[in-house]
C-alpha cells in the first residue's frame, strides 16, 4: 500500500474531515502485523537518515498537529525519535512568550527549521496561528485569514533551499479521545496530564475541525503536503507515518559522499604509523 | 561496582592519564554481560529522564570529549541518544564560525545549555578552547591559561541554577585508535570519515594528553566532575557511561508532579461528556 498517496491531501482538494475514517486498519491483519511493519520502516528510516546526515546537502522537516491525546508524543517516541539524535531535533511550540509575540508568527518557527543534513520535528507549529488563534479568537479574522498565503510562501522558500516538508495531522474521533482521557484519569502516573482545559477545547470540536480543514485545503501544496492519518489505532498511526517518512527519505535519495581524500596517501600514513608502533 | 567513584577525577587530584588503563573489563565477564548491563541501565535512564522532563525543575548536561575514533558517536547512538527525543538535544561544536569567534568562547556554548526538564549532550564543547586551541597554538598561552577559571565559574553558575553536569572523556590507547583508523580504511562505507588531519593530530598525542590532563585536573569540580572512561572496549565504554548517567539521574531524584487540578472536577467533566456521547 502506498501510504503517501492514500493519506496525502491533494493540492486544491476540498476536504471533508468529518467523513474521513479514523479507524482504518489499512492492509494490516492485526496489531502485530502493523508493529512488524513499523519496525521494518524504522530501520529504513534510520539507514536513510544517517545517509542524509553524512551527505549534508538536504534536510527534512516534519510538522505534527493533532487534537489533545491524539498521540503526537507516542509517535515521536516510537517512530520519529528513533532517528540518530545527532541529526534530529524535536521542537515543541507552546503558548508564545511575550518576546515571541513581539515578532511576526514565523519568527520563532524559522529559528528551528533544519539545516542541511538535519531533521526537525515540530510538535505543534506555525499552524497554531491559524488554528487555536482562530477558534479562541485571539487575533481577528482579518489577520489570521491572510496567514495561509504567508505560510505557503514561507514553506516554498524552505523547499527551494533543499528542505523536504511533511505535515502530519493525527485524526482521531471524539469517542477515542474521550476514551484516552479516561485512561489518563484511571492511571495516577498520568494525572499530571489532566487539565480541565482539554474539555473546553473538546467542546469546540466542530470549530477546530473547520479550522483544520481550511488549513489543510489551503496549505497542502506540492512543496509541503499535509497528510491526514487515521489515528484511533495507535499501531496504524505508527505504521502509516513510518511508511510515509521512509518513502519520503527514500525519494530524497541521499548519497554517501565520495571521499575527497587521496586513499593512497591515507594508506601510506597508516603504514608509517603501524611501523612506528611496531618498533 | 560504583562506576561514578571508579572513574571520577577527584577535585584537586593529580592525574597521570598515561598510566590510566584503557582496556579494563571492569566487573563484566564478557561483552555479552556488559551489553545486558547497558540495556538495563538504558531502561533506567529512559524512565528517570522522562520523570525529569515532566517534573520540569532541573536539567542535565553531558559533555563529551575524546580523541578521534574514540567512540563519541557510538556512545551517543547506543546510550545517550536512547533518551526521549522531546527532552534531549545533541549539540556538536565544530570549528567556530566567524560570528562565533567574534564573541567570547562561551557565547555559543551558553546558548545550548539545557533548560529545566531537558538534557543537553555536547559533542565536543568549550573544552576545545583549552585543548585544540592550546596544542595547535591558535590562541596564546596568556589567553587559554586563564580559561580554566572562567570555565569553572561558568559551570558553577549552571549548577546553581539546577543543572547537573557530567563531563566524560573517552580514553583510548594510540594502538586502538590506529586499529580503528584501519577499519575505516577497510570499509568503503566509512571512507567519508577519512582525513589526513587525523594523523596530524595523532602525531601530537603527547601534547594533547598533557592538555587533557591539565583540563581534567583544573576543571574537575564537585559541581562539574570529569570522568575518564576506559574506551578501548566499546562495550565497557557504553556500560560504564550508562551506569554513571543512570546513577546521576537517580541521585537527582526527579519526581512526577502532583496534579494541580481538582480530580472530582475532571471526573464530572468526563462523565458529562460520556453522557452526551451516549445520547
Amino acid at each position: 500500500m502506498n501510504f503517501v498517496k492514500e493519506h496525502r491531501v491533494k493540492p486544491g482538494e476540498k476536504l471533508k474531515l468529518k467523513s474521513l475514517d479514523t479507524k482504518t486498519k489499512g492492509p494490516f491483519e492485526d496489531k502485530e502485523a502493523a508493529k512488524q511493519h513499523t519496525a521494518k520502516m524504522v530501520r529504513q528510516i534510520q539507514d536513510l537518515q544517517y545517509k542524509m546526515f553524512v551527505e549534508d546537502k538536504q534536510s527534512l522537516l516534519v510538522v505534527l498537529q493533532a487534537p489533545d491525546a491524539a498521540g503526537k508524543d507516542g509517535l515521536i517516541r516510537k517512530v520519529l525519535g528513533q532517528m540518530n539524535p545527532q541529526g534530529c531535533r524535536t521542537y515543541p511550540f507552546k503558548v508564545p512568550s511575550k518576546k515571541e509575540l513581539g515578532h511576526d508568527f514565523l519568527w520563532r518557527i524559522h529559528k528551528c527549521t533544519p539545516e542541511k543534513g538535519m531533521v526537525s520535528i515540530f510538535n505543534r507549529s506555525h499552524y497554531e496561528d491559524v488554528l487555536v488563534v482562530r477558534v479562541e479568537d485571539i487575533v481577528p479574522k482579518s489577520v489570521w485569514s491572510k496567514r495561509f498565503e504567508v505560510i505557503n510562501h514561507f514553506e516554498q522558500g524552505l523547499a527551494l533551499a533543499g528542505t523536504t516538508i511533511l505535515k502530519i495531522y493525527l485524526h482521531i474521533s471524539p469517542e477515542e479521545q474521550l476514551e484516552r482521557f479516561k485512561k489518563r484519569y484511571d492511571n495516577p502516573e498520568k494525572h499530571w496530564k489532566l487539565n480541565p482545559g482539554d474539555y473546553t477545547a473538546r467542546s469546540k470540536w466542530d470549530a477546530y475541525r473547520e479550522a483544520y480543514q481550511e488549513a489543510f485545503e489551503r496549505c497542502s501544496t506540492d512543496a509541503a503536503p499535509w497528510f491526514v492519518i487515521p489515528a484511533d489505532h495507535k499501531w496504524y498511526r505508527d505504521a502509516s507515518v513510518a511508511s510515509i517518512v521512509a518513502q519520503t527519505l527514500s525519494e530524497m535519495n541521499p548519497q554517501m559522499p565520495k571521499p575527497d581524500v587521496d586513499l593512497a596517501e591515507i594508506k601510506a600514513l597508516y603504514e608509517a604509523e603501524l611501523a612506528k608502533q611496531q618498533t
Side-chain angles (χ1 to χ4, degrees), chain A:
Chain A
M1 182 164 148
N2 187 326
F3 293 90
V4 168
K5 262 199 181 156
E6 183 71 21
H7 297 307
R8 186 165 163 270
V9 179
K10 288 181 205 69
E13 181 184 10
K14 279 284 154 205
L15 209 62
K16 258 236 153 305
L17 213 45
K18 197 174 181 174
S19 57
L20 284 185
D21 190 13
T22 57
K23 283 187 190 9
T24 185
K25 301 186 170 191
F28 304 112
E29 248 183 54
D30 55 17
K31 184 171 169 173
E32 204 35 59
K35 283 191 163 185
Q36 280 180 23
H37 178 81
T38 302
K40 196 176 141 198
M41 289 300 108
V42 165
R43 283 192 300 275
Q44 281 189 25
I45 290 171
Q46 288 171 331
D47 180 49
L48 290 159
Q49 180 234 352
Y50 181 70
K51 282 194 178 137
M52 190 186 88
F53 177 67
V54 174
E55 179 195 52
D56 200 19
K57 285 193 179 161
Q58 47 186 338
S59 62
L60 177 66
L61 168 61
V62 183
V63 170
L64 298 179
Q65 289 286 160
D68 193 35
K72 292 199 301 325
D73 293 345
L75 178 68
I76 292 174
R77 195 175 64 248
K78 290 194 268 174
V79 177
L80 303 170
Q82 295 297 317
M83 291 194 241
N84 189 315
Q86 298 213 62
C88 179
R89 294 212 181 121
T90 299
Y91 298 94
F93 291 99
K94 301 183 180 168
V95 177
S97 69
K98 189 156 182 285
K99 184 175 170 70
E100 287 168 345
L101 286 172
H103 293 270
D104 73 284
F105 76 102
L106 292 174
W107 181 78
R108 65 174 185 157
I109 303 293
H110 212 155
K111 292 198 282 185
C112 302
T113 54
E115 64 191 88
K116 283 186 168 57
M118 298 290 291
V119 181
S120 287
I121 298 164
F122 286 0
N123 185 347
R124 306 187 185 274
S125 68
H126 44 303
Y127 283 91
E128 292 296 338
D129 294 287
V130 292
L131 293 169
V132 65
V133 144
R134 166 182 180 165
V135 175
E136 307 297 339
D137 208 12
I138 294 167
V139 306
K141 181 170 183 180
S142 60
V143 173
W144 63 252
S145 65
K146 294 197 187 80
R147 288 182 173 166
F148 300 111
E149 212 183 329
V150 176
I151 289 176
N152 285 344
H153 288 149
F154 169 68
E155 291 177 350
Q156 278 157 28
L158 299 180
L160 265 176
T163 302
T164 297
I165 304 171
L166 295 176
K167 299 179 296 196
I168 308 277
Y169 172 69
L170 303 182
H171 186 40
I172 61 165
S173 62
E175 295 77 18
E176 175 66 19
Q177 187 192 53
L178 193 60
E179 189 55 37
R180 293 187 189 179
F181 282 176
K182 180 169 190 307
K183 281 185 186 144
R184 283 185 186 174
Y185 183 86
D186 289 344
N187 180 357
E189 286 264 300
K190 304 235 162 165
H191 276 184
W192 65 273
K193 283 192 172 190
L194 294 174
N195 180 0
D198 295 343
Y199 288 91
T200 325
R202 196 178 146 82
S203 71
K204 299 175 185 168
W205 193 276
D206 290 347
Y208 271 103
R209 186 166 52 210
E210 197 185 319
Y212 281 124
Q213 221 164 251
E214 185 170 0
F216 304 157
E217 283 176 0
R218 298 193 55 179
C219 297
S220 195
T221 60
D222 284 327
W226 269 106
F227 295 84
V228 177
I229 303 294
D232 277 3
H233 294 301
K234 294 175 182 177
W235 45 266
Y236 184 81
R237 168 200 80 197
D238 292 344
S240 57
V241 174
S243 299
I244 289 167
V245 175
Q247 183 177 333
T248 302
L249 280 167
S250 164
E251 286 165 2
M252 289 167 73
N253 195 23
Q255 299 294 321
M256 295 295 270
K258 297 248 182 318
D260 61 351
V261 297
D262 179 351
L263 286 175
E265 181 197 355
I266 298 279
K267 193 162 182 230
L269 285 164
Y270 168 73
E271 279 165 0
E273 282 295 302
L274 190 66
K276 219 188 288 173
Q277 201 167 272
Q278 284 164 344
T279 57

